[in-house]
Amino acid sequence: MVTLDATPIKDWIESLPKNDTIEKLKRLNEVLFTDPDPQVGQTPKEVIWTKNKAKLYRYRPYKEKTNKVPILMIYALINKPYILDLYPGNSFIEYLTDRGHDVYLLDWGTAGFEDRHMKLEDYIVDYIPRAARKVLKHSGAKEITMFGYCMGGTMTAIFTALYQKKLPIRNLILLTSPIDFQDAGLYTNWLDKRYFKLDHIVETFGNVPFEFIDFGNKLLNPLSNTVGVYVNIASNVDNEEKILNWKLMQKWLNDGVPFPGEAYRQWIRDFYQENKLINDELEIRGERVLLSNITANLLNIVATRDNIVLPQQIKPLNEKVSSKNKTLHIVSAGHVSVITGKRAVAEQYPYIEQWISDNSK
Amino acid sequence: MVQSSFDVFTLWKEIYNKTENIWNNTLQETLEKKIFAESLGQIQSQYVQYQELVNKLTESYLKQANLPTRDEIANVASLIINVDSKIDQLEDEFDAQRDRIIKEIENLRKSVSSLEKKLDKVIELLNQTLEAAEESKTSIAAAGNKTVSK
């Protein structure tokens, strides 16, 4: 959210003759400049483990835990995880805990300059398995459900492929997680080795600033992401519910964290530029990642209007895994609306919750 | 008093909706071109070079002012993270040892319990043998007494 002194604008609006348009303009000024940010991530939680900047949360359910298999959520390194617990009534985590699920989330925190040498494999080998063990121990459960969103889902899939035989991973749920980078849409062009000076960027920045990555994401749909968002809120400025949802989304979209340098280098080079994962060429700490090692029950969710992770980047996973129980669930939504908003609450939440319940008995 | 008037927001939205597709198609065509990717790469390179210059100047200034640079502060943070990692490893090791000890104690408990049962059985058998011996002793003595009294 933009923070600046809006008093002169407010004074100017106040001086204008009063009518509907001026009232709306006044409200729009408040929405854009003076209203406080909405409070996100309100589901009660406790920290059960920390490592460097990462924290493992356990969400305290309002209702008795009835599901024996705990859920561990893994999120992307570049955003904050509260998209999964956005606001009461619009929170996937709240929805699950209210239905007796035991939910844990690994929050990566904000990488500092000292973390610029952290690779993806450090997170996949040193953090996720430990977090999974902590969850199993804390919950006293015999099996675990892994849930990954966006890039966090890619990391979760790699982790599952490497640890399927070492840890009791019963279910794997992936939400808009890229696996095949053969055709990554506009990014395939923009990240072309001939033009995109990856090493120069990483060595200069250390950690790649969020704004740098956000610029690329916004450029995917420049008009809608710049003018469109303001047109949208201006035309709905008399609808408080829409204002709240708009503020929540803007807060999350503009509230990212820097991408640890080496992890960024690995992500762009090994995935976008060399597409190693789907071709069984990716090595994590010297061990080859074979997606065919995944035997857990799989729910792979594709959002057809997602322009950050395209459907063709997600679908091939189902052909690679060895899971007997695998579902490719295709929904008409965008990268974010797949998990937030009225439609997500009405359609996606019940579907995922039912799938988890059915596969956790 | 609030007067009704021409709504500029609705007009704005209508204009946007009507022109969005045309603009989007034009923009999309441009964004997909190789030349755009090349230009984007050049802009990025220039921005990164500028950032590199800023980094060098800042570092040089901090050194001259006898202030710690970002690298030096990061090195201290790394040392703390290393200690944190070691504590984590120790915790894991401790957990593993504790689990192993708990398992061993459990096995020992089972062994002792099984031994106890066996001992109880042995004692029971011994008692039965002793009782049987006592009984046979008594009956032999009774038979002897009968013979003597005859």
Side-chain angles (χ1 to χ4, degrees):
Chain A
M1 205 66 67
V2 182
T3 311
L4 52 86
D5 182 13
T7 318
I9 305 171
K10 198 180 167 190
D11 292 345
W12 172 71
I13 296 169
E14 292 290 349
S15 70
L16 295 171
K18 291 216 181 320
N19 61 39
D20 281 351
T21 305
I22 300 303
E23 284 303 310
K24 281 187 182 177
L25 191 63
K26 196 175 154 190
R27 181 72 191 110
L28 184 64
N29 179 54
E30 286 167 359
V31 171
L32 294 178
F33 305 116
T34 59
D35 277 0
D37 278 358
Q39 198 192 339
V40 291
Q42 294 189 39
T43 308
K45 57 184 183 285
E46 59 186 331
V47 177
I48 63 162
W49 175 64
T50 61
K51 182 173 170 64
N52 193 356
K53 277 89 182 168
K55 288 189 184 90
L56 177 62
Y57 296 119
R58 194 246 173 168
Y59 287 86
R60 287 201 302 269
Y62 291 110
K63 292 193 177 165
E64 196 189 334
K65 186 176 87 175
T66 51
N67 197 300
K68 285 178 186 170
V69 183
I71 304 161
L72 172 58
M73 295 182 165
I74 308 288
Y75 196 70
L77 291 171
I78 41 172
N79 287 107
K80 290 192 179 165
Y82 58 75
I83 194 76
L84 296 165
D85 183 26
L86 199 59
Y87 201 75
N90 187 6
S91 159
F92 182 51
I93 288 173
E94 179 196 52
Y95 188 90
L96 291 174
T97 51
D98 278 356
R99 279 152 191 83
H101 294 276
D102 202 5
V103 181
Y104 295 80
L105 181 140
L106 186 56
D107 179 353
W108 297 117
T110 304
F113 190 64
E114 63 279 9
D115 300 311
R116 65 195 181 283
H117 301 305
M118 291 283 288
K119 291 181 177 175
L120 272 184
E121 54 194 52
D122 296 326
Y123 291 106
I124 293 168
V125 176
D126 293 338
Y127 286 69
I128 303 179
R130 272 206 171 94
R133 285 193 191 98
K134 298 278 174 193
V135 169
L136 285 164
K137 196 173 172 194
H138 187 269
S139 62
K142 288 180 181 154
E143 289 174 300
I144 191 169
T145 291
M146 298 297 301
F147 177 98
Y149 182 23
C150 186
M151 176 201 177
T154 314
M155 293 163 77
T156 309
I158 296 168
F159 154 75
T160 308
L162 292 172
Y163 286 83
Q164 181 77 79
K165 286 175 188 163
K166 298 172 201 164
L167 284 166
I169 305 162
R170 179 166 177 150
N171 303 311
L172 172 64
I173 303 166
L174 302 178
L175 194 63
T176 64
S177 303
I179 299 293
D180 185 354
F181 294 77
Q182 175 73 32
D183 174 12
L186 292 169
Y187 276 128
T188 302
N189 275 347
W190 298 350
L191 299 172
D192 189 313
K193 276 180 182 173
R194 287 172 294 174
Y195 321 124
F196 191 76
K197 305 297 173 206
L198 178 61
D199 293 331
H200 194 191
I201 290 167
V202 173
E203 271 137 38
T204 305
F205 284 116
N207 293 330
V208 181
F210 167 73
E211 292 75 14
F212 191 89
I213 297 156
D214 188 48
F215 175 75
N217 286 341
K218 290 213 163 87
L219 201 60
L220 291 169
N221 199 348
L223 199 62
S224 173
N225 289 329
T226 51
V227 185
V229 285
Y230 294 103
V231 171
N232 186 29
I233 194 58
S235 57
N236 289 303
V237 77
D238 42 9
N239 184 332
E240 285 304 318
E241 194 189 338
K242 285 193 174 167
I243 289 175
L244 174 66
N245 286 332
W246 186 86
K247 278 188 197 166
L248 287 165
M249 282 326 305
Q250 290 308 305
K251 179 177 167 60
W252 182 73
L253 287 168
N254 297 308
D255 191 21
V257 294
F259 203 137
E262 283 306 318
Y264 181 79
R265 199 196 306 256
Q266 204 176 7
W267 179 243
I268 302 296
R269 190 190 54 211
D270 290 357
F271 293 80
Y272 279 95
Q273 293 180 337
E274 296 178 6
N275 196 18
K276 287 182 174 176
L277 178 59
I278 196 75
N279 294 319
D280 296 339
E281 288 165 359
L282 183 72
E283 283 195 6
I284 293 289
R285 291 247 175 106
E287 194 176 343
R288 187 157 290 195
V289 181
L290 301 171
L291 293 169
S292 56
N293 283 343
I294 297 176
T295 54
N297 303 320
L298 172 70
L299 172 61
N300 196 11
I301 301 171
V302 176
T304 52
R305 287 187 281 112
D306 187 347
N307 64 355
I308 293 174
V309 182
L310 305 177
Q312 66 263 27
Q313 291 186 263
I314 305 166
K315 289 176 182 173
L317 177 69
N318 285 50
E319 290 150 32
K320 291 287 284 188
V321 297
S322 305
S323 314
K324 284 178 188 160
N325 175 359
K326 51 185 175 182
T327 306
L328 185 72
H329 185 56
I330 299 169
V331 294
S332 173
H335 191 68
V336 184
S337 61
V338 69
I339 202 69
T340 65
K342 272 186 179 174
R343 203 164 163 196
V345 177
E347 294 172 19
Q348 269 69 267
Y349 291 7
Y351 180 87
I352 302 170
E353 194 276 325
Q354 190 61 49
W355 189 92
I356 297 172
S357 296
D358 291 346
N359 288 286
S360 302
K361 285 169 187 161
Chain B
M1 196 181 129
V2 177
Q3 297 166 353
S4 64
S5 69
F6 167 70
D7 187 357
V8 71
F9 297 105
T10 313
L11 178 71
W12 189 18
K13 173 120 183 166
E14 274 173 22
I15 293 170
Y16 177 78
N17 285 346
K18 279 179 186 163
T19 53
E20 189 197 12
N21 273 345
I22 305 161
W23 280 108
N24 260 345
N25 290 340
T26 316
L27 282 168
Q28 205 65 23
E29 274 175 30
T30 311
L31 295 174
E32 282 169 11
K33 284 180 183 163
K34 288 272 175 207
I35 187 85
F36 179 82
E38 204 178 332
S39 314
L40 196 65
Q42 279 171 0
I43 294 167
Q44 272 166 354
S45 284
Q46 283 163 9
Y47 177 63
V48 173
Q49 272 172 7
Y50 160 76
Q51 189 62 45
E52 209 173 22
L53 182 72
V54 171
N55 289 353
K56 278 180 185 162
L57 287 173
T58 312
E59 199 177 326
S60 151
Y61 166 75
L62 289 170
K63 276 184 179 163
Q64 280 180 20
N66 206 19
L67 288 167
T69 62
R70 192 168 58 157
D71 273 324
E72 286 163 344
I73 294 170
N75 285 343
V76 176
S78 295
L79 292 174
I80 297 166
I81 293 167
N82 287 345
V83 172
D84 189 46
S85 284
K86 282 179 183 170
I87 292 171
D88 217 42
Q89 279 170 4
L90 278 172
E91 200 186 332
D92 281 354
E93 189 63 32
F94 176 76
D95 281 349
Q97 291 291 344
R98 194 179 56 180
D99 290 346
R100 193 180 57 78
I101 289 166
I102 288 171
K103 221 175 240 178
E104 273 183 16
I105 289 172
E106 185 62 24
N107 287 341
L108 268 171
R109 199 184 62 78
K110 278 180 189 164
S111 299
V112 170
S113 165
S114 147
L115 266 172
E116 261 182 8
K117 276 180 192 165
K118 280 179 187 168
L119 268 172
D120 286 347
K121 193 87 183 162
V122 168
I123 290 165
E124 199 185 317
L125 283 170
L126 266 172
N127 284 339
Q128 280 173 7
T129 317
L130 277 171
E131 274 171 23
E134 201 66 39
E135 268 176 29
S136 72
K137 214 176 180 181
T138 321
S139 59
I140 289 166
N145 286 344
K146 269 182 192 173
T147 319
V148 171
S149 63
K150 270 180 190 176

Short mmCIF file of all heavy atoms in Angstrom, two decimals, chain A residues 249-269:
data_model
loop_
_atom_site.label_atom_id
_atom_site.label_comp_id
_atom_site.label_asym_id
_atom_site.label_seq_id
_atom_site.Cartn_x
_atom_site.Cartn_y
_atom_site.Cartn_z
N MET A 249 -5.68 -7.98 -1.40
CA MET A 249 -4.88 -8.44 -2.53
C MET A 249 -3.70 -7.52 -2.79
O MET A 249 -2.59 -7.97 -3.03
CB MET A 249 -5.73 -8.55 -3.80
CG MET A 249 -6.61 -9.78 -3.86
SD MET A 249 -5.91 -11.22 -3.09
CE MET A 249 -4.37 -11.38 -3.91
N GLN A 250 -3.96 -6.20 -2.74
CA GLN A 250 -2.88 -5.25 -2.98
C GLN A 250 -1.80 -5.38 -1.92
O GLN A 250 -0.62 -5.30 -2.21
CB GLN A 250 -3.42 -3.81 -3.02
CG GLN A 250 -4.27 -3.51 -4.24
CD GLN A 250 -3.59 -3.88 -5.54
OE1 GLN A 250 -2.49 -3.44 -5.83
NE2 GLN A 250 -4.23 -4.73 -6.33
N LYS A 251 -2.24 -5.60 -0.68
CA LYS A 251 -1.27 -5.76 0.41
C LYS A 251 -0.37 -6.95 0.13
O LYS A 251 0.85 -6.85 0.21
CB LYS A 251 -1.99 -5.93 1.75
CG LYS A 251 -1.04 -6.13 2.92
CD LYS A 251 -1.78 -6.22 4.23
CE LYS A 251 -0.89 -6.73 5.35
NZ LYS A 251 0.26 -5.88 5.61
N TRP A 252 -1.00 -8.07 -0.22
CA TRP A 252 -0.21 -9.29 -0.45
C TRP A 252 0.70 -9.14 -1.67
O TRP A 252 1.87 -9.50 -1.64
CB TRP A 252 -1.12 -10.50 -0.60
CG TRP A 252 -0.33 -11.75 -0.77
CD1 TRP A 252 0.38 -12.40 0.19
CD2 TRP A 252 -0.10 -12.47 -1.98
NE1 TRP A 252 1.02 -13.49 -0.34
CE2 TRP A 252 0.74 -13.55 -1.68
CE3 TRP A 252 -0.55 -12.30 -3.29
CZ2 TRP A 252 1.15 -14.47 -2.63
CZ3 TRP A 252 -0.14 -13.21 -4.25
CH2 TRP A 252 0.70 -14.28 -3.93
N LEU A 253 0.13 -8.59 -2.76
CA LEU A 253 0.89 -8.48 -4.01
C LEU A 253 2.12 -7.59 -3.86
O LEU A 253 3.12 -7.78 -4.52
CB LEU A 253 0.00 -7.96 -5.14
CG LEU A 253 -1.03 -8.95 -5.67
CD1 LEU A 253 -2.03 -8.24 -6.57
CD2 LEU A 253 -0.36 -10.09 -6.44
N ASN A 254 2.01 -6.57 -3.00
CA ASN A 254 3.12 -5.63 -2.86
C ASN A 254 3.98 -5.90 -1.62
O ASN A 254 4.83 -5.10 -1.27
CB ASN A 254 2.58 -4.20 -2.80
CG ASN A 254 1.87 -3.83 -4.08
OD1 ASN A 254 2.43 -3.98 -5.16
ND2 ASN A 254 0.62 -3.39 -3.98
N ASP A 255 3.76 -7.03 -0.99
CA ASP A 255 4.43 -7.30 0.28
C ASP A 255 5.34 -8.53 0.15
O ASP A 255 5.25 -9.47 0.93
CB ASP A 255 3.34 -7.54 1.35
CG ASP A 255 3.90 -7.56 2.75
OD1 ASP A 255 4.99 -7.02 2.94
OD2 ASP A 255 3.25 -8.13 3.65
N GLY A 256 6.17 -8.53 -0.88
CA GLY A 256 7.03 -9.69 -1.10
C GLY A 256 8.35 -9.58 -0.36
O GLY A 256 8.62 -8.58 0.31
N VAL A 257 9.15 -10.61 -0.49
CA VAL A 257 10.47 -10.63 0.17
C VAL A 257 11.54 -10.89 -0.90
O VAL A 257 11.24 -11.45 -1.95
CB VAL A 257 10.53 -11.73 1.26
CG1 VAL A 257 9.59 -11.40 2.40
CG2 VAL A 257 10.23 -13.11 0.71
N PRO A 258 12.80 -10.52 -0.62
CA PRO A 258 13.85 -10.77 -1.62
C PRO A 258 14.11 -12.27 -1.81
O PRO A 258 13.94 -13.06 -0.88
CB PRO A 258 15.08 -10.07 -1.04
CG PRO A 258 14.78 -9.84 0.39
CD PRO A 258 13.30 -9.78 0.54
N PHE A 259 14.50 -12.61 -3.01
CA PHE A 259 14.77 -14.01 -3.37
C PHE A 259 16.24 -14.30 -3.07
O PHE A 259 17.12 -13.65 -3.63
CB PHE A 259 14.51 -14.15 -4.89
CG PHE A 259 14.19 -15.53 -5.36
CD1 PHE A 259 13.16 -15.74 -6.28
CD2 PHE A 259 14.91 -16.63 -4.92
CE1 PHE A 259 12.85 -17.00 -6.74
CE2 PHE A 259 14.59 -17.90 -5.39
CZ PHE A 259 13.57 -18.08 -6.30
N PRO A 260 16.56 -15.25 -2.17
CA PRO A 260 17.97 -15.54 -1.89
C PRO A 260 18.76 -15.79 -3.19
O PRO A 260 18.32 -16.57 -4.04
CB PRO A 260 17.91 -16.81 -1.04
CG PRO A 260 16.55 -16.76 -0.42
CD PRO A 260 15.66 -16.12 -1.43
N GLY A 261 19.90 -15.12 -3.33
CA GLY A 261 20.62 -15.07 -4.59
C GLY A 261 20.88 -16.41 -5.27
O GLY A 261 20.51 -16.61 -6.42
N GLU A 262 21.54 -17.32 -4.54
CA GLU A 262 21.89 -18.60 -5.17
C GLU A 262 20.65 -19.41 -5.52
O GLU A 262 20.63 -20.13 -6.53
CB GLU A 262 22.82 -19.42 -4.26
CG GLU A 262 24.25 -18.94 -4.26
CD GLU A 262 24.88 -18.83 -5.64
OE1 GLU A 262 24.68 -19.72 -6.48
OE2 GLU A 262 25.56 -17.82 -5.88
N ALA A 263 19.62 -19.32 -4.68
CA ALA A 263 18.37 -20.03 -4.96
C ALA A 263 17.74 -19.47 -6.24
O ALA A 263 17.22 -20.22 -7.07
CB ALA A 263 17.40 -19.88 -3.79
N TYR A 264 17.86 -18.14 -6.42
CA TYR A 264 17.32 -17.50 -7.63
C TYR A 264 18.08 -17.99 -8.86
O TYR A 264 17.49 -18.34 -9.88
CB TYR A 264 17.44 -15.98 -7.49
CG TYR A 264 16.90 -15.20 -8.66
CD1 TYR A 264 15.54 -14.99 -8.81
CD2 TYR A 264 17.77 -14.67 -9.63
CE1 TYR A 264 15.05 -14.26 -9.89
CE2 TYR A 264 17.28 -13.94 -10.70
CZ TYR A 264 15.92 -13.74 -10.83
OH TYR A 264 15.43 -13.03 -11.89
N ARG A 265 19.42 -18.05 -8.72
CA ARG A 265 20.25 -18.50 -9.84
C ARG A 265 19.85 -19.92 -10.25
O ARG A 265 19.69 -20.24 -11.42
CB ARG A 265 21.73 -18.48 -9.42
CG ARG A 265 22.68 -18.47 -10.62
CD ARG A 265 24.10 -18.84 -10.23
NE ARG A 265 24.70 -18.07 -9.17
CZ ARG A 265 25.61 -17.12 -9.34
NH1 ARG A 265 25.99 -16.79 -10.55
NH2 ARG A 265 26.14 -16.51 -8.31
N GLN A 266 19.68 -20.77 -9.22
CA GLN A 266 19.31 -22.17 -9.47
C GLN A 266 17.90 -22.27 -10.09
O GLN A 266 17.67 -23.04 -11.01
CB GLN A 266 19.34 -22.93 -8.14
CG GLN A 266 19.56 -24.40 -8.29
CD GLN A 266 19.67 -25.09 -6.93
OE1 GLN A 266 19.46 -24.46 -5.89
NE2 GLN A 266 20.00 -26.35 -6.94
N TRP A 267 17.00 -21.46 -9.57
CA TRP A 267 15.60 -21.48 -10.04
C TRP A 267 15.53 -21.08 -11.51
O TRP A 267 14.89 -21.73 -12.32
CB TRP A 267 14.77 -20.55 -9.15
CG TRP A 267 13.32 -20.41 -9.48
CD1 TRP A 267 12.68 -19.28 -9.88
CD2 TRP A 267 12.30 -21.42 -9.43
NE1 TRP A 267 11.35 -19.52 -10.07
CE2 TRP A 267 11.08 -20.83 -9.80
CE3 TRP A 267 12.31 -22.78 -9.10
CZ2 TRP A 267 9.88 -21.53 -9.87
CZ3 TRP A 267 11.11 -23.49 -9.17
CH2 TRP A 267 9.92 -22.87 -9.55
N ILE A 268 16.19 -19.99 -11.86
CA ILE A 268 16.14 -19.51 -13.26
C ILE A 268 16.93 -20.45 -14.17
O ILE A 268 16.43 -20.84 -15.23
CB ILE A 268 16.70 -18.06 -13.36
CG1 ILE A 268 15.89 -17.11 -12.47
CG2 ILE A 268 16.71 -17.59 -14.82
CD1 ILE A 268 14.44 -16.91 -12.83
N ARG A 269 18.15 -20.82 -13.76
CA ARG A 269 19.00 -21.62 -14.65
C ARG A 269 18.48 -23.05 -14.82
O ARG A 269 18.23 -23.51 -15.93
CB ARG A 269 20.44 -21.64 -14.10
CG ARG A 269 21.46 -22.24 -15.06
CD ARG A 269 22.78 -22.44 -14.36
NE ARG A 269 22.57 -23.23 -13.14
CZ ARG A 269 23.30 -23.12 -12.02
NH1 ARG A 269 24.25 -22.23 -11.95
NH2 ARG A 269 23.04 -23.88 -10.97
#
